Amino acid sequence: MSATNGLTIAVPRGALFKETVELLSSLGLDTSELSSNDRKLLFEDIGVITMRPSDVPTYVESGAADLGITGKDVLLEQAGHGSADPAPREVYELLDLGYGRCTMVLASKTGPDPAAEALRRLGVMRVATKYPHIAARHLEETGRQAEIVEVKGSVELAPLTGMVDAIVDLTATGTTLREHDLIVREEIVECTARLIANPVAHKLRAPEIDRLLERLRAR
Amino acid sequence: MIHPIPSGTRDVLPDETREVRAITDALRGVFERHGYGEVYTPALEYESVLARGGHTAQGAGSAEAQPAYRVFDESGAALVLRSDMTVPIARVVATRYPNSEPPLRFCYLAHCYRGVRPQRGQPRELLQAGIELIGAPAPEGTAEALGVLCAALDTVGLEGYRIGLGDASLFPSLMAALGVSEQGRARLLAALVSRDFVGLEQELSDLDLGAHERELLLEVPQRRGGPDVLAASNGVVADAAANMRQVYELLEPPVAERVIFDLGLVRSIGYYTGAVFEVYDPALGAPIGGGGRYDELLGRFGRSLPAVGFALGVDRLHTALLGEERGTGASLS
């Protein structure tokens, strides 16, 4: 039996990957191939599958993985929006792993806030984001009308070209924002890496999951 | 030519129908053998009538029980497509059996209609098979329903399943006993219903509670496993644990062996009052079905009787059976 007690864990490639591998390694998992082979997806011998962070809840919800690690930003975004109808993924959120800390912010160009001006004079602000649900929920909860523009790549480009008045994006250090002459106007929510579990595995594999949780809490 | 159908609905063609028929025939046979008579009710009901069963004081996350589709009839009355069979059968009991001597036993195989989230492959129309046992109080009624549930699953040939058994009143009673404010209770319950233990811990740290109370409210709903999870309990937890133990002691050994106690089990449907349960199988990532006690629902329709029931998702059951046959399923080790 491996260090993960025979459980399958969905591991996110990308920003959370390095610290996730360190975490698994600290649990006694042999992560040498995991960190050296970035083309392989399935590491059956150690019970790990790798994917992009936003796919982790999908695999865990379906039961293809028992556990997963992903950012709170991903979980919030996939819960959808609309205060009357939140529909989070059918997964357990078990533990705040503490790493990958970053903040979801509303930012706009330095100087007089173009978003505030748009809101005052046009009645609506245009906001570009990779997180349309989080952005819409935040603006709705703060009573502002907004047009959400979903982009897939560098969000910083959108306000610089005048396409939008502001952006909602994740920032860790603020460096990228500063480099593009953007400043943080509002902090929406702090996000860290979370351990999630499939609802059926949470019941049927309770002893294994609780043992792992205990070791993670004791770190 | 391709003519579309609404997302979340589908046609069932002969190969699949044959397999589904084998399952539904077996289920119907088990239900009938246990004395449950099959009923059909209209798919469309008056919204005002179903609304009697749709809301509870707890109110948390009962979206699943809310009908998602409304139409207006020729006189302007609002009609809804039923979202489950429990509320329609409560109506049938109050209306058609106002004076019959309980207990009453009904079963059904019926399509129910739910709202869907885009891109999640959820069904809008789902075939449910279940029973309602009206007028049989806990613990005997609950034990009977669990016995029928296991007989049904055994008969269709599902092998690896387990029954999670909890109590819907446990967490609300625990919150009340530990002095959580009304507002705090709603927030804690919402976190638990959305399966968010990190959020539960955050909400708890915002409340004016002692360290011991906080610890209990976070730790108790994460307890699940064999009968030993009932042992280490006192106060309100002990009361709920005693209820679960009473049910457990009435179960036949093959049924009792399937039970996992789960002190954190809360179902998203709001009308449950006591014992609640869900069916898990390693070959499927989601519960196959579930049920529980709803001792106050019938009273809202004017015939106050304790009741218990369950519903199985026939398509999920079919998928789990196929998964077991193939030996797949992520958690199957």
Side-chain angles (χ1 to χ4, degrees), chain B residues 58-111:
Chain B
Q58 292 175 14
S62 54
E64 205 179 316
Q66 301 294 339
Y69 307 102
R70 284 170 188 75
V71 293
F72 295 98
D73 70 7
E74 50 291 344
S75 66
L79 309 178
V80 292
L81 279 169
R82 63 179 173 222
S83 57
D84 72 7
M85 278 297 282
T86 302
V87 182
I89 288 178
R91 172 187 62 69
V92 167
V93 170
T95 313
R96 307 292 296 276
Y97 296 86
N99 303 309
S100 306
E101 186 64 28
L104 301 168
R105 291 181 173 84
F106 300 106
C107 73
Y108 57 86
L109 283 136
H111 285 97

Side-chain angles (χ1 to χ4, degrees), chain A residues 63 66 78 85 202-203, chain B residues 117 120 195 224 262 330-331:
Chain A
D66 301 308
Q78 297 189 5
D85 186 26
H202 186 253
K203 309 306 174 196
Chain B
R117 309 292 303 177
R120 300 254 182 109
R195 310 179 196 273
R224 63 216 188 284
D262 183 354
S331 311

Side-chain angles (χ1 to χ4, degrees), chain B residues 150-238:
Chain B
C150 288
L153 294 170
D154 291 340
T155 305
V156 297
L158 197 68
E159 286 172 358
Y161 72 90
R162 305 295 297 270
I163 313 283
L165 178 64
D167 193 311
S169 67
L170 193 160
F171 197 68
S173 313
L174 186 62
M175 289 190 291
L178 297 179
V180 180
S181 66
E182 281 288 333
Q183 206 188 359
R185 282 181 223 175
R187 285 165 50 188
L188 296 185
L189 194 59
L192 188 58
V193 167
S194 58
R195 310 179 196 273
D196 181 1
F197 287 118
V198 177
L200 182 62
E201 189 167 3
Q202 280 164 358
E203 293 286 359
L204 281 168
S205 65
D206 290 346
L207 292 174
D208 182 26
L209 289 170
H212 175 67
E213 283 76 11
R214 235 173 246 156
E215 172 60 25
L216 264 182
L217 286 163
L218 184 63
E219 184 265 327
V220 167
Q222 299 197 57
R223 276 192 220 161
R224 63 216 188 284
D228 48 312
V229 305
L230 301 182
S233 40
N234 45 39
V236 188
V237 183

